């Protein structure tokens, strides 16, 4: 029998977005948008709640080249005048009762004079079995770091594009963002 190992990681990213806090909240805190934000995630359906706290989504996530079922539960979703907090637990079903398999995805943001500072914190403890001893943990962790950076960049691009549209100043960013979302969906 193959031994199950776990990958543990803790990633923190931050980015400034030239858009108001409410616009960033509308996009980043909506789990239904996460399939456009997070590479490898496909939202299947919302199974309970109104999109806020305690809402649960069934989804699939590309884990080491295999789509696996996951549940996403919103654990905190609060918008304040100057900040927001959005925390979700992404649970991975495993057969190892000794280990909790999860990804904690936390978004926090603070209103600034000319926009919003968005923070992403991702804490991971997921299983893998390396039958052929070919899995490179360091390479995987580097990829996770890159994917987290891409996620907050996608949020920034979307929110700034929406803000420009609101102000009547659209640019190439709108086209590029739209094109990247289309390409991502075609890959699925």
């Amino acid at each position: 029998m193959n031994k199950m190992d776990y990958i543990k990681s803790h990633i923190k990213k931050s980015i400034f977005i030239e858009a108001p806090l409410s616009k960033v909240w509308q996009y980043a805190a909506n789990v239904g948008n996460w399939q456009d934000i997070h590479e490898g995630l496909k939202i299947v359906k919302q199974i309970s709640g109104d999109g806020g706290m305690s809402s649960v989504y069934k989804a699939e996530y590309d884990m080491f080249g295999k789509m696996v079922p996951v549940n996403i539960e919103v654990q905190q979703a609060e918008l304040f005048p100057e900040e927001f907090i959005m925390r979700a637990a992404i649970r991975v079903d495993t057969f190892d009762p000794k280990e909790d398999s999860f990804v904690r995805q936390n978004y926090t943001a603070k209103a600034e004079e000319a926009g919003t500072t968005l923070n992403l914190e991702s804490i991971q403890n997921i299983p893998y079995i390396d039958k052929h001893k070919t899995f490179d943990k360091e390479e995987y962790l580097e990829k996770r770091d890159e994917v987290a950076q891409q996620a907050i960049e996608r949020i920034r691009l979307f929110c700034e594009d929406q803000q420009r549209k609101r102000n009547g100043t659209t640019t190439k960013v709108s086209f590029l963002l739209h094109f990247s979302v289309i390409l991502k969906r075609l890959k699925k």
Side-chain angles (χ1 to χ4, degrees), residues 63-107:
M63 229 180 254
F64 316 114
K66 180 182 177 190
M67 294 305 282
V68 296
V70 295
N71 286 333
I72 301 172
E73 180 184 343
V74 178
Q75 297 182 320
Q76 185 177 6
E78 297 181 273
L79 173 62
F80 303 104
E82 298 297 317
E83 65 183 353
F84 76 71
I85 301 167
M86 196 313 185
R87 301 184 196 288
I90 303 166
R91 299 210 179 277
V92 182
D93 291 332
T94 66
F95 300 104
D96 186 355
K98 295 176 279 185
E99 195 78 41
D100 186 20
S101 302
F102 63 82
V103 176
R104 302 277 188 268
Q105 198 77 15
N106 303 322
Y107 286 108

Side-chain angles (χ1 to χ4, degrees), residues 118-133:
L118 176 67
N119 303 295
L120 165 63
E121 179 180 31
S122 183
I123 304 163
Q124 179 185 66
N125 185 46
I126 61 165
Y128 77 99
I129 297 173
D130 191 5
K131 294 178 189 177
H132 305 290
K133 307 292 184 222

Side-chain angles (χ1 to χ4, degrees), residues 10-69:
H10 190 163
I11 296 169
K12 292 183 177 183
K13 296 290 178 183
S14 185
I15 197 165
F16 182 77
I17 301 172
E18 293 179 19
L21 180 75
S22 60
K23 184 69 67 185
V24 179
W25 163 263
Q26 261 181 338
Y27 189 64
N30 181 342
V31 177
N33 292 330
W34 285 13
Q35 64 189 354
D36 295 331
I37 296 170
H38 298 281
E39 184 178 312
L41 182 66
K42 179 183 172 200
I43 302 292
V44 175
K45 65 179 180 177
Q46 183 174 341
I47 58 174
S48 69
D50 61 3
M53 199 156 108
S54 299
S55 294
V56 178
Y57 297 78
K58 283 214 173 285
E60 290 183 338
Y61 187 69
D62 183 350
M63 229 180 254
F64 316 114
K66 180 182 177 190
M67 294 305 282
V68 296

